[in-house]
Amino acid sequence: MASIRVTEVLAALSLTTDLATGMPFEKGLAVCLVANAVAEQVGLDESDRRIVFHAALLGAVGCTSRASENAEAYADDIAFQQAYHTLDPGDPEVFRDQMTHFGQWAPETQAAMRDRFITQAPKGAPIAVRSVCEVSRALGPRLGLPEAAVLALTEVKERWDGLGAPDRLCGDAVSLPGRILHLAEQAVLAFRTRDRAAALGELRRRAGGHLDPDLVGVFTTDPDVVWDVLDRPDLLTAVVDAEPGLPTIIRPEDRDHLCMAMAVVVDLKGRFLLGHSGHVAQLADAAAGLSGMNRTDRAALRAAALLHDIGRAAVSSSVWDRPGPLGPGDWERVRLHSYWTDRVLRRCPSLADLAEVASGHHERLDGSGYHRGVRVHDLSPGARLLAAADVFAAMTEPRPHRPAHKPSEAAAHLSAEAAAGRLDRDACAAVVEAAGLRPARAEYPCGLTEREVDVLRLAARGLSNRQIAAELVLSERTVGHHLAHIYDKTGRRTRAGAAVFAMEHGLLPG
């Protein structure tokens, strides 16, 4: 592969956030096309349309920031996101009906989830949305977005009537790209469940409440111009073709910063997953170097390792955070996460070369793995290294049901798996050797002290001040002081923001 179209990588992230929010696959691509068409109707110039284009494509980039909290409160964070996307508190009659049919939970739990939302939303929504905004603001620059596009990402839950969050912005205090994004998303959601006329009726109903009435007016003047952009057999190709301005092209070996952003989004799906993708990538890359892998294949392996778990987005955080045993249904969902990794990567030409290795991390030489159940001759050297690195990393990280194993215990397990014919012996040896090469850190970013890093790691996983104090044998007051210093030094103010900082700087897992 000679070059990579960055928009195709961003499209893969859009598909991943579709999975995380319970939206129809390619909903984000559709929103991007509609937003771009509206921007053209409004008469924006190329640079401003480019801002709208990228903000709309990545509108849900912060969606996993509260995945664990939402799963804890509502049993299924994906079901909650799905319900929350269409709520309209600005229309009391419609809102009452939406609450009557709140979400996709089983009938015996739906009422309890509705009542919990009604009780918690007034105080909890601004706090939750601030986490979304902080993650968006942290990842936006890594993805190459200009400040105006990042601003629009922080406004995804604001509303024209001021009933949104986190800042209750009203009217044109919401940026124009932000308002176009709101209109485009509601247009796509309405169009998915209604014909064109009924979908226009829904947009008109939201005009002046959720949506900018002037933008709705522009849309409804010639709606077929907008709707017709969705009448394409391949929405991803349509998005790539519609990108305003000159496309950004990078070399395959330079895509790590984009892949790392995707890894962060997915690792936020579980309190015990934070930093896992980066950890696996570090091990796999070092093992590849020890194995003599050439530079091109090594770069591809590292990118595949960063993306190997993006399919986790399709599984509720209640599964990833569960301390007890999983039932057969949940195990089947877990086994499908590698399928979703494969599907997302193969959908995007600039990442399709990574699909076989990335989605094969649970395959085994004897055919006992998943999701394809392939055997030794169908597993490339990269796939074998990634499988061994994933096992070692997972074992040496804490999980809800157990503490982290010692590296020596993980090494012994890899040796046993190789002897049993499930993992490649040479790959296991390279990973174990690579694990012993990790250098001691001389200093921490932003002037953080070692104790502050200890506190940061636990806070990122959602532990309360009291729990952190008990874990580190400190007073709650001391923990509070440490957190204040951490927030001042890092500029982050939420658990999710702190978690992103820790992952970006290699402080998690640890």
Side-chain angles (χ1 to χ4, degrees):
M1 181 180 292
S3 62
I4 285 175
R5 183 83 174 259
V6 169
T7 295
E8 291 180 359
V9 182
L10 302 185
L13 179 50
S14 176
L15 296 174
T16 303
T17 59
D18 287 342
L19 299 176
T21 53
M23 293 290 105
F25 202 54
E26 302 192 354
K27 169 258 184 184
L29 303 181
V31 171
C32 178
L33 289 171
V34 170
N36 187 57
V38 172
E40 290 180 343
Q41 279 190 316
V42 173
L44 297 187
D45 61 24
E46 183 180 277
S47 62
D48 286 339
R49 283 191 287 113
R50 191 171 176 84
I51 289 168
V52 170
F53 177 91
H54 285 113
L57 184 61
L58 298 176
V61 71
C63 67
T64 56
S65 63
R66 296 275 296 181
S68 289
E69 289 87 345
N70 288 337
E72 188 174 19
Y74 299 101
D76 186 334
D77 58 298
I78 297 176
F80 174 77
Q81 289 266 16
Q82 191 177 48
Y84 189 63
H85 264 74
T86 55
L87 294 180
D88 186 5
D91 189 324
E93 184 175 340
V94 169
F95 187 68
R96 278 195 300 271
D97 183 64
Q98 290 173 329
M99 286 293 98
T100 302
H101 305 92
F102 185 56
Q104 302 298 315
W105 290 275
E108 62 269 20
T109 59
Q110 189 179 66
M113 298 303 169
R114 177 195 63 222
D115 294 343
R116 183 171 299 167
F117 175 77
I118 292 172
T119 301
Q120 294 182 350
K123 183 178 179 180
I127 297 172
V129 176
R130 285 193 192 283
S131 289
V132 175
C133 295
E134 191 157 70
V135 169
S136 298
R137 185 165 287 283
L139 294 181
R142 176 180 283 275
L143 295 167
L145 303 190
E147 175 58 27
V150 175
L151 174 63
L153 294 180
T154 68
E155 299 171 334
V156 292
K157 298 303 180 186
E158 300 288 357
R159 291 169 53 99
W160 176 262
D161 57 12
L163 296 179
D167 297 317
R168 298 182 70 87
L169 300 178
C170 184
D172 58 13
V174 181
S175 69
L176 180 57
R179 283 177 274 148
I180 292 175
L181 196 160
H182 298 166
L183 172 62
E185 179 173 63
Q186 292 305 314
V188 168
L189 292 175
F191 189 58
R192 293 284 186 181
T193 56
R194 302 170 174 87
D195 60 28
R196 291 191 179 191
L200 283 178
E202 174 65 8
L203 296 182
R204 291 190 179 102
R205 186 191 66 76
R206 289 179 181 257
H210 187 176
L211 306 176
D212 179 342
D214 291 338
L215 286 179
V216 174
V218 170
F219 187 111
T220 57
T221 298
D222 193 358
D224 287 340
V225 171
V226 182
W227 293 134
D228 287 349
V229 301
L230 300 180
D231 288 339
R232 293 279 297 273
D234 186 339
L235 289 187
L236 192 143
T237 299
V239 164
V240 172
D241 292 344
E243 181 180 9
L246 294 175
T248 303
I249 304 295
I250 60 174
R251 299 176 302 171
E253 56 265 35
D254 294 332
R255 59 186 161 186
D256 266 19
H257 66 288
L258 300 174
C259 294
M260 183 61 190
M262 294 177 67
V264 166
V265 169
V266 174
D267 285 0
L268 285 169
K269 280 288 291 185
R271 290 189 173 104
F272 291 84
L273 301 176
L274 301 178
H276 172 72
S277 297
H279 188 192
V280 173
Q282 180 267 327
L283 280 175
D285 181 56
L290 293 169
S291 300
M293 185 176 286
N294 67 58
R295 180 179 178 182
T296 299
D297 289 345
R298 186 174 172 182
L301 174 59
R302 179 173 175 81
L306 286 169
L307 300 181
H308 77 283
D309 265 347
I310 58 174
R312 285 187 189 265
V315 181
S316 171
S317 295
S318 62
V319 172
W320 304 124
D321 288 341
R322 188 172 304 165
L326 300 179
D330 284 335
W331 264 118
E332 190 58 32
R333 294 182 185 95
V334 168
R335 290 168 64 88
L336 280 173
H337 82 273
S338 57
Y339 159 79
W340 282 110
T341 294
D342 186 70
R343 184 170 177 186
V344 169
L345 296 181
R346 291 191 191 280
R347 185 71 182 87
C348 302
S350 289
L351 296 175
D353 64 305
L354 307 178
E356 182 267 328
V357 172
S359 66
H361 60 286
H362 286 294
E363 302 291 356
R364 297 295 181 259
L365 302 183
D366 62 357
S368 63
Y370 60 87
H371 65 282
R372 293 185 295 267
V374 298
R375 290 179 174 269
V376 55
H377 298 299
D378 294 312
L379 293 172
S380 66
R384 300 181 193 196
L385 279 172
L386 179 55
D390 181 59
V391 171
F392 190 96
M395 285 195 69
T396 54
E397 298 164 10
R399 289 294 181 261
H401 58 286
R402 59 156 176 82
H405 289 285
K406 296 177 181 178
S408 59
E409 295 171 332
H413 179 74
L414 258 63
S415 179
E417 289 293 285
R422 287 186 285 271
L423 292 176
D424 182 87
R425 189 180 300 276
D426 291 339
C428 289
V431 166
V432 171
E433 185 178 355
L437 297 178
R438 194 171 185 177
R441 185 184 288 270
E443 59 183 33
Y444 293 106
C446 298
L448 292 172
T449 66
E450 186 168 353
R451 179 55 86 187
E452 287 168 350
V453 170
D454 292 338
V455 172
L456 171 61
R457 286 169 173 156
L458 297 176
R461 291 199 171 105
L463 273 67
S464 67
N465 287 18
R466 177 174 295 182
Q467 291 170 320
I468 295 172
E471 181 82 15
L472 299 178
V473 195
L474 300 171
S475 70
E476 286 188 58
R477 183 174 182 180
T478 300
V479 170
H481 285 314
H482 282 314
L483 285 172
H485 293 154
I486 290 166
Y487 291 148
D488 286 342
K489 290 178 179 180
T490 65
R492 306 297 167 86
R493 291 292 182 269
T494 67
R495 180 200 69 81
V500 171
F501 177 89
M503 285 188 279
E504 287 185 321
H505 290 87
L507 303 179
L508 283 170

